[in-house]
Amino acid sequence: MVVLSVPAEVTVILLDIEGTTTPIAFVKDILFPYIKENVKEYLQTHWEEEECQQDISLLRKQAEEDSHLDGAVPIPAASGNGADDLQRMIQAVVDNVCWQMSLDRKTTALKQLQGHMWRAAFKAGSMKAEFFEDVVPAVRKWREAGMKVYIYSSGSVEAQKLLFGHSTEGDILELVDGHFDTKIGHKVESESYRKIASSIGCSTNNILFLTDVTREASAAEEADVHVAVVVRPGNAGLTDDEKTYFSLITSFSELYLPSST
Ligand SMILES: CSCCC(=O)C(=O)COP(=O)(O)O
Ligand SMILES: [Mg+2]
């Protein structure tokens, strides 16, 4: 087995979700189709609720910022003129959400709505989050060795908590010391990692970030964060240069903590 030694200065392990702790297939084949199939009905049922109105305001603001993009879908402001107008607005939000999802966009607006929609499915027990089998044993071991474990995903903090709270391994939320999402900044921007370190109260070089996306790994590395790229079944392939440049692991069990036995 390949072993990757964790530098002695590392005290925090920061984990991506999709493609790192959790199969991309679970996200693409279960989580995302749930949104596409249910978004219209969800909006019709929850339209009057404050949380839903906040989600729509955020989506509308994002749609304005996106107006210069090819194929962008605008969301008109409410005119308050009857049922037809409401149905037109709902359809515009549905089309906007589907357009964003067709590009796998990671906007805070889209991720916030998705998190709110998944809540019902997770709480009803009709959806359970999948984790690779090495994840839970490794995280337990790291914590026993004194490491802090944080999550940084484009999925909203609320969605992250749903996944960890309702997994095929049971409720594993207690294994996580804290969560970050795109509210702190995007994962391909170095500044996000500096803000995460500052929020945890450590230096960036005390963090080891595990992700499947090399652009995220590069951004973290630019901020002086240690990184390893996680290679999992179903993940996007890496170029030869990326394979040479980055430390690669295929399982969390390949990480060796000098402080553990
Ligand atoms: C709580 S994660 C749900 C999956 C998701 O929406 C997503 O965008 C995953 O992105 P990641 O940053 O974890 O690769
Ligand atoms: Mg990922």
Side-chain angles (χ1 to χ4, degrees), residues 188-207:
V188 293
E189 290 165 6
S190 311
E191 192 52 24
S192 309
Y193 299 87
R194 293 188 192 99
K195 286 186 186 161
I196 286 174
S198 152
S199 164
I200 294 172
C202 66
S203 299
T204 50
N205 66 2
N206 296 137
I207 300 176

Side-chain angles (χ1 to χ4, degrees), residues 50-248:
E50 186 165 342
E51 180 184 85
C52 188
Q53 282 302 313
Q54 281 169 2
D55 291 349
I56 290 154
S57 294
L58 215 55
L59 284 164
R60 185 177 290 116
K61 221 149 102 202
Q62 184 64 48
E64 282 160 16
E65 281 172 32
D66 290 344
S67 57
H68 65 288
L69 297 179
D70 228 17
V73 180
I75 301 175
S79 72
N81 280 339
D84 282 356
D85 185 56
L86 176 62
Q87 286 314 311
R88 256 195 306 279
M89 290 243 297
I90 288 177
Q91 193 56 50
V93 177
V94 170
D95 293 344
N96 178 281
V97 165
C98 290
W99 170 70
Q100 288 204 57
M101 290 184 70
S102 72
L103 300 174
D104 195 17
R105 298 196 73 216
K106 307 286 189 186
T107 64
T108 302
L110 174 65
K111 295 293 155 186
Q112 183 170 299
L113 174 74
Q114 288 177 335
H116 291 151
M117 286 186 62
W118 289 323
R119 184 171 53 206
F122 277 112
K123 297 233 154 134
S126 52
M127 209 187 264
K128 287 213 185 301
E130 289 171 28
F131 286 80
F132 288 107
E133 63 181 14
D134 51 279
V135 171
V136 172
V139 172
R140 286 195 201 284
K141 208 166 139 197
W142 300 338
R143 288 171 60 90
E144 277 162 22
M147 289 281 165
K148 297 274 181 210
V149 177
Y150 286 81
I151 305 298
Y152 183 27
S153 169
S154 302
S156 68
V157 166
E158 193 171 350
Q160 296 172 24
K161 289 181 176 170
L162 286 168
L163 262 66
F164 280 79
H166 304 82
S167 86
T168 49
E169 320 284 318
D171 181 349
I172 51 169
L173 202 48
E174 61 169 27
L175 297 181
V176 178
D177 292 284
H179 300 259
F180 298 97
D181 61 18
T182 53
K183 284 190 179 151
I184 201 137
H186 286 283
K187 295 173 78 184
V188 293
E189 290 165 6
S190 311
E191 192 52 24
S192 309
Y193 299 87
R194 293 188 192 99
K195 286 186 186 161
I196 286 174
S198 152
S199 164
I200 294 172
C202 66
S203 299
T204 50
N205 66 2
N206 296 137
I207 300 176
L208 169 65
F209 178 46
L210 305 182
T211 181
D212 59 317
V213 175
T214 53
R215 280 183 68 210
E216 296 172 4
S218 297
E221 204 176 49
E222 213 180 297
D224 211 17
V225 164
H226 296 276
V227 298
V229 172
V230 184
V231 178
R232 298 287 201 182
N235 284 6
L238 302 175
T239 65
D240 287 343
D241 283 353
E242 288 170 335
K243 283 185 202 163
T244 311
Y245 181 78
F246 290 106
S247 298
L248 307 179

Side-chain angles (χ1 to χ4, degrees), residues 41-53 120:
E41 193 194 327
Y42 178 87
L43 293 170
Q44 273 162 342
T45 310
H46 299 277
W47 190 263
E48 299 298 337
E49 294 165 21
E50 186 165 342
E51 180 184 85
C52 188
Q53 282 302 313

